[in-house]
């Protein structure tokens, strides 16, 4: 099952408009869309290692621009979206982001940009909490760029050997990921009961 999805992602990564799709996904993910751009960047860097750095740059620029939109949403529209946000699973992440901003500011955006933590929550929180815009943009560039260039470099360096190994173990990796998500959700529910 996962091997077929992986093969499909590799096919999409070779599409003539793949770079445009990557930019659109990167932009949207930084302000409202739930799927991270790594799902396109990784197979694109694997299938076209000579263009991996270009893909990382496109992903970074589009992601930072999307982050700016997220910032503006938080700055100008937080009161309007707050009731909806409170009904989603992003609310707890927003509260975490808010406390991180109060403690660390710039560093919070950098960590969110680099890590798998939902970056969109931090972009909206940065605007809602009126973080200075230029430090926000700088932290986003460093965090997002660091993450995407690292992913692209590692996958481009691995090349065909890595691609063959990934394909061989894709079903096991896919089911292991599903198991980790289910276990994580179970632990989360258990810890937040009552």
């Amino acid at each position: 099952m996962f091997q077929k999805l992986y093969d499909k992602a590799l096919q999409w990564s070779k599409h003539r408009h793949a770079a445009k799709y990557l930019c659109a996904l990167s932009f949207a993910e930084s302000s409202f869309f739930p799927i991270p751009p790594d799902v396109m960047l990784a197979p694109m860097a694997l299938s076209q290692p000579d263009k991996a750095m270009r893909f990382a740059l496109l992903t970074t620029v589009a992601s930072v621009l999307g982050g700016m939109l997220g910032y503006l949403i938080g700055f100008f529209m937080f009161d309007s979206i707050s009731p909806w946000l409170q009904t989603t699973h992003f609310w707890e992440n927003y509260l975490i982001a808010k406390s991180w901003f109060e403690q660390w500011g710039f560093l919070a955006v950098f960590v969110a940009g680099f890590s798998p933590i939902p970056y969109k929550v931090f972009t909206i929180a940065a605007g809602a909490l009126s973080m200075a815009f230029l430090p926000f943009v700088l932290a986003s560039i460093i965090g997002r760029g660091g993450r995407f260039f690292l992913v692209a470099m590692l996958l481009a360096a691995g090349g065909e050997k890595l691609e063959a190994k990934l394909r061989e173990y894709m079903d096991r990796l896919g089911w292991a990921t599903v198991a980790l998500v289910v276990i994580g959700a179970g632990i989360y529910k258990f810890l937040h009961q009552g």
Side-chain angles (χ1 to χ4, degrees):
M1 176 177 140
F2 291 103
Q3 220 172 47
K4 288 178 184 175
L5 289 172
Y6 176 71
D7 289 342
K8 189 56 92 172
L10 280 176
Q11 279 180 342
W12 291 336
S13 71
K14 294 175 186 173
H15 191 277
R16 63 188 178 108
H17 295 297
K20 292 176 185 172
Y21 300 149
L22 177 64
C23 287
L25 177 62
S26 301
F27 181 87
E29 184 270 339
S30 295
S31 51
F32 60 88
F33 197 65
I35 299 172
D38 308 67
V39 298
M40 271 200 81
L41 175 61
M44 288 175 72
L46 263 176
S47 66
Q48 301 174 66
D50 56 317
K51 296 181 180 176
M53 295 304 107
R54 179 176 170 262
F55 295 145
L57 178 63
L58 289 172
T59 307
T60 301
V61 170
S63 182
V64 171
L65 290 172
M68 290 178 189
L69 174 63
Y71 181 97
L72 294 174
I73 290 169
F75 191 82
F76 290 110
M77 300 172 54
F78 188 75
D79 291 339
S80 301
I81 64 166
S82 178
W84 168 82
L85 191 61
Q86 290 177 29
T87 66
T88 70
H89 67 279
F90 290 117
W91 183 247
E92 281 191 38
N93 289 329
Y94 170 76
L95 295 177
I96 291 168
K98 184 178 175 188
S99 71
W100 282 22
F101 275 113
E102 290 166 356
Q103 293 177 334
W104 300 309
F106 176 94
L107 208 54
V109 176
F110 167 76
V111 169
F114 192 80
S115 72
I117 296 169
Y119 176 63
K120 70 190 76 29
V121 174
F122 282 81
T123 66
I124 293 169
L129 299 171
S130 300
M131 178 181 179
F133 188 70
L134 287 178
F136 165 78
V137 171
L138 182 61
S140 295
I141 291 169
I142 295 169
R144 297 258 92 179
R147 172 179 167 173
F148 298 136
F149 276 92
L150 181 64
V151 166
M153 283 189 295
L154 290 174
L155 292 169
E160 290 180 21
K161 281 184 179 179
L162 178 61
E163 196 274 325
K165 282 290 179 199
L166 276 176
R167 189 172 192 295
E168 181 182 337
Y169 292 103
M170 189 48 62
D171 278 333
R172 291 181 207 157
L173 289 169
W175 287 116
T177 302
V178 168
L180 287 173
V181 168
V182 169
I183 291 167
I187 291 170
Y188 177 84
K189 273 187 121 176
F190 177 76
L191 294 174
H192 290 87
Q193 283 179 342

